[in-house]
């Protein structure tokens, strides 16, 4: 719905995340200066101040660069507080199963630790194949 103030959804008491951020960008243009690190070369975002609720009040937000915003949310910020990631839940990074003691690494596509370090599985498969031929 549109009106004299643009997006009228942002003016409702129960306005959503997108409507409020659209309102903030329109009526409170960002300075491009990060409140945390002072960098003025990176793009900035509005970050909700811890303990406050989403409102149209500019005083409830800090202007942070993406890096500082991620750090802010990670250390008890608004949305991700207390969320355990798959990587944290998976525990310690295992060593490669080929026996080389190299750490296997995280498989972000499947959300789990790899069993073999990159490039090591092919070698392990070849060794097993050769062992079968010998026996």
């Amino acid at each position: 719905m549109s009106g004299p103030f643009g997006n009228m959804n942002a003016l409702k008491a129960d306005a959503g995340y997108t409507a409020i951020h659209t309102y903030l960008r329109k009526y409170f243009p960002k300075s491009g200066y990060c409140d945390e690190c002072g960098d003025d070369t990176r793009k900035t975002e509005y970050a909700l101040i811890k303990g406050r609720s989403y409102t149209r009040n500019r005083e409830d937000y800090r202007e942070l660069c993406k890096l500082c915003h991620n750090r802010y949310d990670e250390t008890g910020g608004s949305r991700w507080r207390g969320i355990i990631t798959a990587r944290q839940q998976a525990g310690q990074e295992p060593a490669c199963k080929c026996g080389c003691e190299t750490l296997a690494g995280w498989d972000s596509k499947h959300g789990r630790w790899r069993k073999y370090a990159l490039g090591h599985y092919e070698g392990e498969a070849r060794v097993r194949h050769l062992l079968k031929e010998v026996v």
Side-chain angles (χ1 to χ4, degrees), residues 86-99:
R87 192 171 189 166
Q88 291 168 330
Q89 196 171 17
Q92 290 282 48
E93 183 174 6
C96 182
K97 287 184 95 175
C98 75

Side-chain angles (χ1 to χ4, degrees), residues 1-27 56:
M1 171 165 52
S2 185
F5 297 105
N7 184 356
M8 295 300 287
N9 290 329
L11 299 177
K12 293 180 181 176
D14 62 343
Y17 175 89
T18 304
I20 290 173
H21 278 74
T22 301
Y23 178 89
L24 289 171
R25 281 191 302 273
K26 183 171 183 175
Y27 293 103
R56 294 181 307 276

Side-chain angles (χ1 to χ4, degrees), residues 86-87 104-114 118:
R87 192 171 189 166
W106 181 253
D107 182 354
S108 57
K109 180 178 179 184
H110 297 102
R112 62 180 180 217
W113 292 114
R114 291 186 176 94
L118 291 177

Side-chain angles (χ1 to χ4, degrees), residues 26-42:
K26 183 171 183 175
Y27 293 103
F28 302 103
K30 296 181 221 160
S31 66
Y33 178 82
C34 179
D35 292 344
E36 187 72 23
C37 67
D39 192 345
D40 61 354
T41 60
R42 299 186 198 132

